[in-house]
Amino acid sequence: MRPPTNYKSRSMRLNSAWRYGINHLVTGLAILSTALVIVPLVAILVYLIYKGASSLNLDFFTHIPAPVGETGGGMANAMLGSGIVLVLASSMGIPVGIAAGVYLAEYGQGKLLAMAVRFTADVLNGIPSIVMGIAAYSLIVMRQMHFSAFAGGVALAIMMVPTITRTTEEMLMTVPHSIREAALGLGVPKWRTVLSVSLRTASPGIITGCMLAFARVAGETAPLLFTAFGNQFWSFKLNEPIAALPLQIYVYAISPYDEWHRLAWGGALVLILMIMVSVTLVRIYAGRGVLKGAS
Amino acid sequence: MTSFFIVTPSSMSLEREPEPSSPLTAPLTQTEATPLHAPAIVNFVASAEPAAAEGPPSPIRQYLNTCSNGGLADKTFAAVMLVCALSIFAIVLFILSILIARSRLSLSQFGFGFFTRSAWDPVSGDFGALPFIFGTLATSLLALAMAVPLALGVAIFLSELCPARLRAPISFLTELLAAIPSVVYGLWAVFVLVPIMRDQLGPLLVTYLGWTGLFGGYNFGVGLLTASIILAIMILPIISSITRDIMQAIPVSQREAVLALGATRWEMIRTGVLRNARIGIVGAVILGLGRALGETMAVTMVIGNHPDISKSLFSPANTLASVIAGEFSEATSSMYLSALIEIGLALFLVTIVVNAIARALVWAVTRGAPARVH
């Protein structure tokens, strides 16, 4: 922007110069702050990838941790444990989350109850994950008197529900009413319309939303600290302590051994790659619109 | 979609007995005999489409709602969906009740004084949460002080100044960084930030800002300031992306009106955008505060974990969340456990209030009527 030149008086010219000066100053500050934020954040990302890539190898994916003092070993048991806990969490959290989202989008339009559910879901989304951990501990671990994979799954499932609910609702809202009306007009009952028309049309978006929720809770450590608890060995049983990748990263990061630090960096890279993939997919689907993928 | 409508009527008319009263199926009975009707149906649907896009209850929908259309299956399905939606309330109430039940011991022993006493002595069973409240508030507010100006700058840049080509990659990056797990930030902080604080930044601060008295004591690299910095890094992407969304929700007409009066770009942003968006921006900041209050892993890894109230920003401290993470598995006596669960209860209630306020403010801007003019 260039200041105009046809001024009537000197004070007006000075005033204008001042205003344009401020304009340039603030523009510069905004660009500077963006640079100040983006550069270190990118540096963190690059550093994590660099450190992680140099510690990943085949052993990392196939071996359990080596005893202290020995080199080698991997995090295979932690990845399997994370997988088991996450499958448990998804099998509880995803159906409930999608169903709640269906209620909000298909049945609750304009209802006060739906507003309240939406609001509660948003608030629940902001509750610290460690509180979920304590709740699952108080409910399951204190009663059973031992840590278990199941308790970890419950804690993560609770965290998945609000995210999935809101994504499902938003994706269903993008499905045009004319498609639903077409189905209803052909005599299809409403429940069938919701399942095979609305949900099916919105499915790419909903699936990626679930993936994002999955990736988010995959990196959660706090809810697993006193539910899944961690385990140095293979474990497959749902009512026993189980290893999990983020837990293992935490334990290894605060340990004094270099070899364990290396494993922690590798684990961090695995987590980040998972998140990168899901965020990218979400952007692709959010960007191109669900309908184009479905028709 | 067009093909969908042309193909299905003929097959439908073979399978079903059309009802003469229905306006949609009435023309379909003649499709076999007079194919000329088929385009008429397509036109009918096409003309109904814009009306349907405007408001949810279109005429067709209203008609269909009055028909009896489901019976048991429909009602069951609706009920199941409703129960799942209500389960979100149930989760919140359930967490609240179980936390109260499990912390009853400490609630009855210490009462409200729990939050004003600074003793934390597991050996003699004497507990007070004041050091953790101090640590939580100090780290969160310091983090906000560092993050908010930068986040605002980023949001202004992304929403008002950024060339279109750069916008998508930068937004993508902020989303990605908001999704990186806390423990990974903690890992980075332990191995990169702590040495920097200990060897470079810490001595610099002592030399230039030592007179304020905030940088006394021995600098271990871990402590309040390090925890605040990592918190600031973690909440920055969240605050800036929500603020950007809010700014973009302000109608373009507001900007054009201000520009038409001869304002510079900054004056346009200040009066046209920031003033209209201010409620939402406050909401975004409070949302960041809520995140900072409850952030656990990264803080636990770098704060030093010591229940101290000290003036120095270098001193080790502890937050509500980090004391739970650090000491929960060591809690041997039932009173110790109960005190930690009570801290969790406090954290739960505080974050519910903070998040409810923030959401209400953000909704006021992004969902309500067009922004008010002042």
Side-chain angles (χ1 to χ4, degrees), chain A residues 1 19-20 22-23 26-27 30-31 33-34 36-38 41-42 44-45 47-48 95-96 98-100 102-103 106-107 113 115-132 134-135 137-139 142-143 158 161-162 165-166 169-170 177-182 184-187 189-192 194-195 216 219-222 225-226 229 246 249-250 252-254 261 264-265 268 271-272 275-276 279-280 283, chain B residues 1 4-5 8 12 16 24-25 49 52 55-56 58 60-61 64 69-70 73-74 77-78 80-82 84-89 91-92 94-95 98-99 102 149-150 153-154 156-157 161 168 170-185 187-188 190-192 233 236-237 259 262-267 290-291 294 296-297 300-301 321 324-325 328-329 337 340-341 344 347-348 351-352 355-356 359-360 363 367:
Chain A
M1 265 191 219
R19 287 173 52 213
Y20 279 85
I22 291 283
N23 181 36
V26 175
T27 309
I31 294 171
S33 61
T34 310
L36 263 179
V37 170
I38 295 297
L41 285 177
V42 172
I44 294 178
L45 207 57
Y47 187 78
L48 286 171
V96 175
I98 290 184
V102 165
Y103 172 77
E106 303 279 340
Y107 292 95
L113 178 69
M115 283 287 286
V117 169
R118 207 169 283 141
F119 191 74
T120 315
D122 275 356
V123 170
L124 188 62
N125 211 1
I127 288 174
S129 52
I130 189 135
V131 174
M132 310 292 180
I134 306 179
Y137 176 89
S138 309
L139 177 75
M142 271 174 114
R143 202 158 289 170
I158 296 177
V161 169
T165 300
R166 300 289 278 131
E169 187 203 355
E170 267 163 41
H177 277 288
S178 53
I179 294 187
R180 293 190 186 103
E181 280 156 6
L184 291 171
L186 293 172
K190 175 141 185 182
W191 67 273
R192 197 64 204 275
V194 170
L195 283 183
R216 287 251 164 92
E220 281 295 345
T221 317
L225 276 174
F226 7 90
F229 194 69
I249 295 173
Y250 170 62
Y252 284 3
I254 57 176
H261 295 163
W265 285 111
L271 278 183
I272 291 175
I275 282 158
M276 270 185 170
V279 171
T280 314
R283 270 201 89 84
Chain B
M1 214 167 75
F4 177 72
F5 270 93
T8 40
M12 284 301 292
R16 293 182 66 120
L24 265 183
T25 45
E49 231 168 2
S58 71
I60 303 174
R61 183 60 162 277
L64 287 167
N69 57 352
D74 252 359
F77 186 73
V80 170
M81 299 297 119
L82 180 63
C84 286
L86 291 180
S87 73
I88 292 178
F89 290 127
I91 289 172
V92 173
F94 154 77
I95 295 178
I98 199 142
L99 289 182
R102 298 292 184 191
L150 286 174
V154 174
I156 290 176
F157 178 78
L161 310 170
I170 296 182
S171 313
F172 175 70
L173 202 64
T174 45
E175 261 170 53
L176 188 65
L177 289 161
I180 288 184
S182 173
V183 71
V184 175
Y185 277 114
L187 181 69
W188 176 82
V190 165
F191 291 106
V192 181
I233 292 176
L236 238 168
L259 281 179
T264 62
R265 184 150 60 186
W266 163 240
E267 286 162 347
R291 199 56 70 97
T296 313
M297 297 322 296
T300 310
M301 289 161 93
I324 300 175
F328 204 84
S329 48
L337 198 63
L340 284 171
I341 294 181
L347 195 59
F348 178 70
T351 44
I352 278 199
N355 275 293
R359 286 295 171 187
W363 277 22
R367 301 228 160 176

Side-chain angles (χ1 to χ4, degrees), chain B residues 22-350:
Chain B
S22 161
L24 265 183
T25 45
L28 298 189
T29 52
Q30 296 166 353
T31 32
E32 297 279 321
T34 52
L36 278 176
H37 274 83
I41 296 169
V42 173
N43 283 342
F44 170 61
V45 171
S47 65
E49 231 168 2
E54 277 170 24
S58 71
I60 303 174
R61 183 60 162 277
Q62 278 170 358
Y63 167 76
L64 287 167
N65 282 343
T66 58
C67 298
S68 73
N69 57 352
L72 199 60
D74 252 359
K75 285 195 182 114
T76 317
F77 186 73
V80 170
M81 299 297 119
L82 180 63
V83 165
C84 286
L86 291 180
S87 73
I88 292 178
F89 290 127
I91 289 172
V92 173
L93 289 178
F94 154 77
I95 295 178
L96 185 66
S97 59
I98 199 142
L99 289 182
I100 290 176
R102 298 292 184 191
S103 61
R104 205 182 296 136
L105 202 59
S106 127
L107 279 171
S108 59
Q109 171 89 20
F110 302 111
F112 186 74
F114 184 73
F115 300 107
T116 54
R117 286 144 37 87
S118 60
W120 186 261
D121 187 357
V123 179
S124 60
D126 193 12
F127 299 104
L130 195 62
F132 312 119
I133 294 174
F134 164 79
T136 305
L137 286 180
T139 48
S140 303
L141 295 179
L142 262 176
L144 278 187
M146 286 184 263
V148 168
L150 286 174
L152 264 182
V154 174
I156 290 176
F157 178 78
L158 282 180
S159 140
E160 311 294 331
L161 310 170
C162 184
R165 201 182 301 160
L166 273 179
R167 192 172 290 156
I170 296 182
S171 313
F172 175 70
L173 202 64
T174 45
E175 261 170 53
L176 188 65
L177 289 161
I180 288 184
S182 173
V183 71
V184 175
Y185 277 114
L187 181 69
W188 176 82
V190 165
F191 291 106
V192 181
L193 187 61
V194 168
I196 290 178
M197 281 299 297
R198 190 176 51 220
D199 303 329
Q200 278 116 39
L201 201 57
L204 262 180
L205 285 171
V206 172
T207 318
Y208 292 103
L209 293 169
W211 51 269
T212 54
L214 289 174
F215 301 99
Y218 189 75
N219 177 14
F220 298 101
V222 295
L224 271 181
L225 187 62
T226 317
S228 309
I229 292 176
I230 194 71
L231 267 183
I233 292 176
M234 292 176 70
I235 61 175
L236 238 168
I238 298 162
I239 299 182
S240 67
S241 62
I242 297 175
T243 309
R244 184 205 59 201
D245 288 348
I246 288 164
M247 285 181 171
Q248 283 177 344
I250 303 294
V252 183
S253 55
Q254 295 279 331
R255 301 186 173 90
E256 286 167 351
V258 182
L259 281 179
L261 293 173
T264 62
R265 184 150 60 186
W266 163 240
E267 286 162 347
M268 179 272 283
I269 293 170
R270 190 163 55 88
T271 56
V273 180
L274 290 182
R275 189 169 292 175
N276 283 326
R278 63 180 188 267
I279 297 175
I281 293 173
V282 172
V285 171
I286 299 178
L287 219 52
L289 175 69
R291 199 56 70 97
L293 290 175
E295 190 45 66
T296 313
M297 297 322 296
V299 173
T300 310
M301 289 161 93
V302 297
I303 199 167
N305 304 94
H306 195 263
D308 249 349
I309 300 183
S310 161
K311 200 179 150 198
S312 168
L313 295 182
F314 287 150
S315 67
N318 227 338
T319 68
L320 291 171
S322 72
V323 70
I324 300 175
E327 299 184 12
F328 204 84
S329 48
E330 305 163 7
T332 41
S333 72
S334 51
M335 178 58 91
Y336 195 3
L337 198 63
S338 174
L340 284 171
I341 294 181
E342 190 178 346
I343 288 181
L345 177 66
L347 195 59
F348 178 70
L349 293 176
V350 168

